[in-house]
Amino acid sequence: MAFCLKDLLEFDDIVIQCHDNPDADALASGYALKWYLKKHGKDARFIYGGRSPISKSNLVLMKENLGIPVEYVNELKPPQLLVTVDCQYGESNVKHFDAENIATIDHHQISGTLPEMAALRSNYGSCSTVIYELMQLEDIDINEDVNIATALYYGLMTDTSGFEEISHPSDRDLRDYARPRMADIVLFKNSNLSKDELVIAGDALKHAYYDEKRLYAIVESKPCDPNILGIISDMTLEVDSIDACLVYSVMPFGVKISVRSCVREIKASELAAFLASGYGGGGGHLIKAGGLLKKDLLEKAGISYDNASIRSFLDDRLKDYFENSEIIFAGEKVEDISEYEHYIKKELSLGFVRAVDLAAPGTKIMIRTLEGDIDTIVEEDIFIIIGIDGEVYPIRKKRFDENYTLSDDEYVYPGEYAPSVMNHVSGERVKILPFARSCVSRGGCGIYAKKLDHRVKVFTKWDPEKYYLGTEGDYLVVRADDHSDMYVIAEEVFKKTYIKEQA
Ligand SMILES: [Mn+2]
């Protein structure tokens, strides 16, 4: 059984702990969890340890205005249950306290062994989102208490550089759903930067390194609030000869990165994910992204945790990224398919929903999926297909009839995030899955595919603005009936979807 908040109610003597040097997300998560427990008759303590108590002005304001009862302690009588939020037990930035039982709610990369009671959503932008989602599963409404809604909203906001680096739909759900007290948000936001931090930003910019050939910049900043990194990278990107930049800071617990790009050949979200891959996580949008490379994981990989080693590690990774990516503009040349092999599609069972089941014809709706938000207008002949990994895309009835057959089987959703639709007119949110029925995809004339041994970016002829990334193991694909139609299919999806044609 997956962990749920109710599991915590087995215990009476509960302490919630967030990481040392708490940030807004840590404070919000602990506060909301304490509120949840209180609702169920459990009086928990909310604490943090470490070198010093909170002093940053936005956090002091947040604590005061929202009434967050957090305590700075350095000694603790072992409680029956210790719940770590926005961090994991045993991490270097989490003061050690003994406890009889441990639970963890976090959104970082896993760093050690997780306790049995754990909710770890590494691809979420904030721990506030994890708490919001866990409460929603138990029908607890965060908007019941405006202080809670404000805290969670601000937690997500600060952990994703003002929502700029959001990538998961659950994060968007919290952003859209929460009704915070905006006056407080404006106040916190404008107490974010101290004069000292402005000096840190200035110093960092003074020592920026520019790669004149590849048009990128690297900037190291002294340890600072992650939001400062976002400010520095926004400014760096505005420089005329810079297409992309990496701003980073070596913090006690890991390397925080902020990435920007203003050219279509580089997606900031993907560059951030590439830089952090194997050591933590990164993501965001086309233009802005961020991430964290965890100290423990870097050290485990034999990279020593000093500024010089980190710098040369990041330099190498950036160079690798720029030198070893092939860029393909589909449709500009006809691909020579002699190096490709012919594959045909397996019969797959998928799901579909008729758009008119979700809203009246003519209504503008937004489909929220793991891959992003898609806007479309409901028409009689629009079908929404739910793919084998839970990916969702609209198609016309004509193409549906050509490529799919109806099935009587009950539909079972394979994905992790249940897609939903937002009606732009009524503002109402509708879950898609209750309307889903089964269908089977048919073979068609197949594709030519070759397995990639390097990174490629393919601009398809359908969307010249955004590329599809393929990495080692993925497949570069050419449609059999149109050789100028090229795209990339991820290794996992390819194996599930295609089989080699028997000669
Ligand atoms: Mn966080």
Side-chain angles (χ1 to χ4, degrees):
M1 258 311 272
F3 167 81
C4 52
L5 290 180
K6 270 200 208 101
D7 298 345
L8 304 175
L9 303 175
E10 301 282 310
F11 303 87
D12 286 316
D13 172 25
I14 307 173
V15 173
I16 303 162
Q17 182 187 5
C18 67
H19 54 78
D20 308 351
N21 262 319
D23 54 18
D25 184 37
L27 291 178
S29 304
Y31 180 33
L33 182 61
K34 184 175 157 65
W35 178 74
Y36 167 88
L37 292 169
K38 184 84 190 259
K39 270 182 165 309
H40 291 85
K42 308 279 173 181
D43 229 335
R45 279 180 81 185
F46 175 25
I47 62 152
Y48 66 95
R51 222 177 296 164
S52 54
I54 296 165
S55 63
K56 252 190 105 230
S57 49
N58 62 325
L59 298 177
V60 171
L61 273 172
M62 178 187 180
K63 194 182 150 200
E64 278 167 14
N65 288 18
L66 306 183
I68 301 179
V70 67
E71 305 166 57
Y72 171 64
V73 302
N74 273 304
E75 257 166 69
L76 186 73
K77 181 173 87 62
Q80 198 189 6
L81 175 66
L82 183 72
V83 191
T84 66
V85 292
D86 199 33
C87 61
Q88 293 159 48
Y89 193 71
E91 284 182 308
S92 53
N93 65 325
V94 182
K95 164 100 184 156
H96 177 88
F97 295 115
D98 290 326
E100 290 169 38
N101 296 281
I102 308 290
T104 288
I105 302 174
D106 190 19
H107 71 118
H108 294 97
Q109 226 57 32
I110 182 165
S111 65
T113 326
L114 282 181
E116 212 166 288
M117 286 180 287
L120 186 75
R121 311 251 201 281
S122 302
N123 43 0
Y124 284 23
S126 74
C127 187
S128 295
T129 311
V130 187
I131 299 267
Y132 154 73
E133 196 176 81
L134 290 170
M135 292 211 282
Q136 224 195 15
L137 287 173
E138 297 182 13
D139 285 323
I140 306 273
D141 185 355
I142 56 164
N143 291 323
E144 248 175 57
D145 183 333
V146 68
N147 288 333
I148 297 295
T150 306
L152 292 173
Y153 182 89
Y154 188 59
L156 171 63
M157 179 177 144
T158 49
D159 256 26
T160 57
S161 283
F163 305 121
E164 302 273 20
E165 295 170 0
I166 275 189
S167 61
H168 198 280
S170 296
D171 294 323
R172 285 187 230 122
D173 285 346
L174 171 57
R175 177 198 64 194
D176 298 347
Y177 181 77
R179 280 194 291 279
R181 201 184 297 113
M182 272 305 170
D184 274 334
I185 298 292
V186 172
L187 185 68
F188 301 161
K189 200 175 150 185
N190 292 297
S191 326
N192 191 29
L193 209 59
S194 65
K195 290 178 204 116
D196 291 345
E197 283 174 319
L198 204 58
V199 172
I200 290 182
D203 274 348
L205 284 165
K206 208 155 60 187
H207 298 107
Y209 166 81
Y210 300 99
D211 187 312
E212 310 283 351
K213 201 173 110 217
R214 302 179 191 89
L215 306 182
Y216 68 74
I218 308 183
V219 183
E220 179 182 355
S221 162
K222 281 197 203 126
C224 64
D225 189 273
N227 288 291
I228 315 292
L229 296 185
I231 294 169
I232 301 171
S233 56
D234 282 341
M235 287 183 70
T236 308
L237 192 69
E238 291 200 16
V239 175
D240 54 358
S241 59
I242 293 300
D243 286 348
C245 69
L246 162 67
V247 180
Y248 71 98
S249 173
V250 182
M251 310 280 278
F253 53 90
V255 181
K256 271 273 188 195
I257 61 171
S258 176
V259 172
R260 298 290 183 264
S261 160
C262 59
V263 287
R264 65 172 184 159
E265 289 82 3
I266 303 161
K267 286 183 191 169
S269 54
E270 176 222 301
L271 177 53
F274 172 80
L275 291 169
S277 160
Y279 308 96
H285 291 281
L286 289 182
I287 298 169
K288 305 188 181 197
L292 174 70
L293 288 76
K294 293 186 72 165
K295 179 179 184 231
D296 324 28
L297 296 176
L298 286 165
E299 284 177 338
K300 232 182 248 173
I303 298 146
S304 60
Y305 202 73
D306 57 74
N307 292 47
S309 311
I310 297 292
R311 177 51 170 260
S312 78
F313 168 76
L314 288 172
D315 269 340
D316 290 350
R317 258 174 109 88
L318 263 180
K319 274 204 195 93
D320 177 17
Y321 181 85
F322 280 90
E323 279 166 14
N324 300 317
S325 298
E326 182 193 357
I327 297 177
I328 296 173
F329 296 94
E332 283 194 356
K333 62 169 182 147
V334 177
E335 194 66 10
D336 171 17
I337 54 160
S338 63
E339 290 166 34
Y340 289 64
E341 285 181 289
H342 191 222
Y343 289 81
I344 48 174
K345 214 172 192 168
K346 293 179 192 171
E347 284 208 339
L348 292 168
S349 86
L350 308 171
F352 77 98
V353 179
R354 292 191 56 189
V356 287
D357 287 341
L358 305 170
T363 313
K364 198 174 166 204
I365 58 168
M366 176 198 80
I367 310 171
R368 175 157 292 171
T369 79
L370 201 53
E371 282 81 29
D373 294 344
I374 311 163
D375 278 323
T376 186
I377 291 176
V378 175
E379 287 174 47
E380 280 290 347
D381 73 334
I382 288 189
F383 282 58
I384 296 166
I385 302 287
I386 309 166
I388 45 165
D389 277 334
E391 71 278 17
V392 172
Y393 46 92
I395 66 169
R396 297 255 172 213
K397 183 171 189 305
K398 184 170 176 295
R399 251 199 73 202
F400 182 83
D401 291 341
E402 285 164 6
N403 295 291
Y404 302 87
T405 317
L406 292 176
S407 149
D408 289 331
D409 295 347
E410 198 191 323
Y411 178 65
V412 182
Y413 178 67
E416 143 214 7
Y417 176 83
S420 64
V421 153
M422 175 83 97
N423 184 322
H424 274 310
V425 180
S426 67
E428 186 195 4
R429 219 174 118 186
V430 188
K431 292 266 176 209
I432 289 184
L433 298 180
F435 298 96
R437 290 154 61 193
S438 284
C439 61
V440 176
S441 68
R442 278 186 258 131
C445 54
I447 52 166
Y448 291 96
K450 88 175 158 191
K451 199 171 182 156
L452 288 169
D453 56 8
H454 62 292
R455 200 174 323 118
V456 299
K457 300 173 176 186
V458 179
F459 288 91
T460 66
K461 52 181 205 176
W462 309 112
D463 188 352
E465 298 295 323
K466 277 184 259 156
Y467 61 80
Y468 288 80
L469 174 76
T471 54
E472 235 180 282
D474 294 340
Y475 287 80
L476 186 61
V477 168
V478 181
R479 261 178 74 153
D481 55 1
D482 179 358
H483 289 189
S484 67
D485 192 355
M486 292 180 73
Y487 48 101
V488 168
I489 302 179
E491 183 174 17
E492 282 301 299
V493 176
F494 188 86
K495 284 181 179 153
K496 279 192 242 173
T497 318
Y498 289 95
I499 44 169
K500 201 180 281 182
E501 193 197 29
Q502 301 302 323

